[in-house]
């Protein structure tokens, strides 16, 4: 992604990769979630880049023809204590600038996910999604190569 950004300018750049291909480090085996941004501590670089990165992927999806499904995400709570944690995540997410966050009741969760039978409620984050991380990394690199 850095190489693609640099390739927009008149620069000479090189990508060094010790393995036979790119994206076979951590990127090949993560959970593929485009996180909404309610997890990271407010004000941290991770929180800022998470929320901005999520928004950027909405644009990058078309530019790079990325395989992304904007599924939204649910953090399910099964106890009263976990319901309290959801409130903390909700408040943190709002401070981080995550839009559309909402605590869903048991009934509302079951409408979306009928198999979550022990659930008490959930935090709904509509801006989260899932992607194909390997394909995304390849798309960034291919675009950089096409840019020269
Ligand atoms: C189990 C797990 C689940 C995760 N789930 C998610 C998730 O759902 N969503 C999310 O956003 N993030 C997730 N992450 C984090 C995410 O996977 C990483 O932040 C991301 O993949 C890091 O990318 P990277 O390019 O910095 O590193 P890598 O993908 O590790 O790339 C580093 C590259 O550098 C190369 N390299 C290393 N040393 C040298 C050298 N000396 N010379 C040349 N090349 C070298 C490696 O071969 C590799 O290709 C998860 C991480 C883990 C471990």
């Amino acid at each position: 992604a850095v190489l693609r950004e640099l390739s927009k300018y008149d620069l000479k750049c090189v990508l060094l990769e010790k393995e036979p291909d790119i994206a076979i480090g951590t990127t090949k085996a993560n959970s593929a979630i485009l996180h909404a941004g309610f997890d990271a501590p407010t004000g941290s670089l991770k929180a800022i880049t998470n929320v901005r990165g999520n928004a950027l992927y909405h644009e990058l999806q078309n530019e790079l023809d990325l395989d992304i499904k904007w599924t939204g995400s649910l953090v399910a709570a099964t106890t009263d204590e976990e319901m309290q944690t959801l409130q903390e995540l909700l408040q943190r997410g709002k401070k981080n600038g995550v839009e559309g966050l909402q605590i869903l009741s048991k009934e509302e969760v079951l409408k979306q996910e009928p198999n979550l039978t022990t659930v008490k409620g959930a935090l709904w984050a509509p801006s989260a999604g899932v992607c194909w991380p390997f394909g995304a990394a390849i798309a960034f690199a291919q675009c950089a190569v096409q840019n020269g």
Side-chain angles (χ1 to χ4, degrees), residues 16-39:
L16 298 176
E17 172 53 59
K18 76 178 170 79
E19 299 295 341
D21 202 349
I22 61 161
I24 53 180
T26 314
T27 296
K28 77 171 181 304
N30 65 34
S31 311
I33 303 167
L34 289 157
H35 293 280
F38 52 79
D39 253 336

